[in-house]
Amino acid sequence: MAPLPTASAIDLAGNRAPRALIDPFARHITYLRVSVTDRCDFRCVYCMSEHMTFLPKADLLSLEELDRLCSAFVAKGVNKLRLTGGEPLVRRGIMTLFESLSRHLKSGALKELTLTTNGSQLEKYAAELKGHGVERINVSLDTLNPDKFRAITRWGDLGKVLKGIDAAQAAGLKVKINAVALKGVNEDELGPMMEWAHGRGMDLTVIEVMPLGETGEDRLDQYLPLSMVRARLAERYTLDNVDYATGGPARYMQVKETGGRLGFITPMTHNFCESCNRVRITCTGTLYMCLGQEDAADLRGPLRASEGDDLIHAAIDDAITRKPKGHDFVIDRRQHRPALSRHMSVTGG
Ligand code: SAM
Ligand code: SF4
C-alpha cells in the first residue's frame, strides 16, 4: 500500500493538529453521515421489516457523546455533517444536538449541517432547524398517492409529510425530495412527482433499491434499474446532463420542460465509489467506512476511555486506512438474500 499522505501540522501554540482524513486511494474524507437513532415511526417496505427489534436505549451514544464524536471528525477536516437514522427527528432532544453542532457552522469549520428525514415531524421542527443553521434538507417521499404511501411506509401518513414539507419551505429551508424507484409501485408516478417537486422549487433525486437487511419483502420484486426510469422519462421530457455536484453520489440532469433538476443515484447499475468522500457512524458509535461493506471500527470504546480526543482521533485514523475501494452490491437471484444483513436504518441512508 502506498504511504498515506500526512496532513498533520504544528500550530502556533506547538500543538499537533489532528491529521486530515485521506484514505489509501487518495480520497479526502470531508463528509460524515451520522445515524442518531435506529428507531423510526415508519416501516418502509424496502428498509425495515414490520416487526423490527431495535437496540436497547442503553447502547446508544448520548447526545453529548454524539456531539463529541462529530466534533472530532470536524477537527479532522469533515466540513459536511448529515444527521440521519432511523428517523433523526424521533430521537428525543435531537434539537439540542443541532444547536450544539451549529457552533461549528459559526466557526466556519463546517460548511453544512443537514439531515435526511421522512418528514413526519417536520411541521414541528422546521423553524427550529433553520434557527440552528440548517439550510437544505432531504425529505424521502416515494409517492403522492395516500394509499400507496401507506402501503410503502406501512405506518406513515402522507398528509402529515406534506404539511411538514410546507412548513420547511415556509421556514426558508431548501428541500430536496428523494424517491426510491420501486418496480410496479411508483414507476408510473415518477414523472408527475418530478413535475410536482419542480413546480415547488424542489429538486428530485431517484434512488435504486439497495439490498440491505431483511425486510420481509423480495428485493427482486422491488428492484427497478434507473436506466429504465431514465429512458421512460426521456420519452416525455428533455433531459440534459449538467455538471452539478452536491458532494453526493447523484448524477444530475436538467429538465427542459420543468426547469428543475433531476438526480439519479445508481448504486446497483453504476459504481459511484471512485469519488466517495464520506464515512458513516451509527448511533452506537460504530464507524462504517463504506455503506456496502461489513468492515467497521468501534469508536464508542475510545470515546468513553478518556476525556481527551487523542484516542478517538487515533481510532479514526486507523479506520480510514481501511476504507475500501468500493462496494459490490448484487441482488442475487440464486440466494435471494440481502448483500448485507445490516439495515439501512442502522448505518443511515
Ligand atoms: N428516516 C429517514 C428517511 O427516510 O429519510 C432517514 C433514514 S433513511 C434509512 C434514508 C434514506 O434511505 C431514505 O431516503 C430511504 O428511502 C433510503 N433507503 C432505505 N432503505 C433503502 C434501500 N434498501 N435501498 C435504497 N434506499 C433505501
Ligand atoms: Fe424509517 Fe427512513 Fe427507513 Fe422509512 S426509510 S423505515 S422512514 S428509516
Side-chain angles (χ1 to χ4, degrees), residues 193-223:
M193 275 190 76
M194 179 181 81
E195 294 204 17
W196 167 80
H198 290 177
R200 297 183 52 140
M202 307 185 291
D203 287 348
L204 172 74
T205 294
V206 189
I207 308 172
E208 266 173 1
V209 170
M210 289 176 263
L212 298 175
E214 286 294 351
T215 59
E217 309 282 329
D218 190 334
R219 302 283 176 188
L220 280 172
D221 288 346
Q222 300 173 347
Y223 178 57

Side-chain angles (χ1 to χ4, degrees), residues 288-305:
Y288 282 95
M289 287 72 84
C290 172
L291 178 65
Q293 304 279 1
E294 297 282 9
D295 189 26
D298 170 51
L299 299 183
R300 186 174 58 182
L303 185 76
R304 290 183 176 169

Side-chain angles (χ1 to χ4, degrees), residues 33 35 37 39-42 44-48 83-89 115-119 138-142 177-182 207-213 215 219 222 267-268 291 342-349:
R33 298 171 74 107
S35 176
T37 174
R39 289 165 196 254
C40 188
D41 51 350
F42 291 2
C44 301
V45 289
Y46 46 77
C47 180
M48 293 191 181
L83 303 198
T84 175
E87 173 47 40
L89 296 182
L115 79 157
T116 298
T117 174
N118 66 22
N138 289 355
V139 178
S140 306
L141 179 63
D142 306 325
I177 303 292
N178 283 344
V180 176
L182 296 164
I207 308 172
E208 266 173 1
V209 170
M210 289 176 263
L212 298 175
T215 59
R219 302 283 176 188
Q222 300 173 347
M268 306 301 295
L291 178 65
R342 206 165 74 230
H343 286 92
M344 188 78 136
S345 50
V346 172
T347 350

Side-chain angles (χ1 to χ4, degrees), residues 125-142:
Y125 289 126
E128 253 182 284
L129 287 168
K130 176 75 181 167
H132 297 322
V134 175
E135 297 290 345
R136 305 188 303 169
I137 62 172
N138 289 355
V139 178
S140 306
L141 179 63
D142 306 325

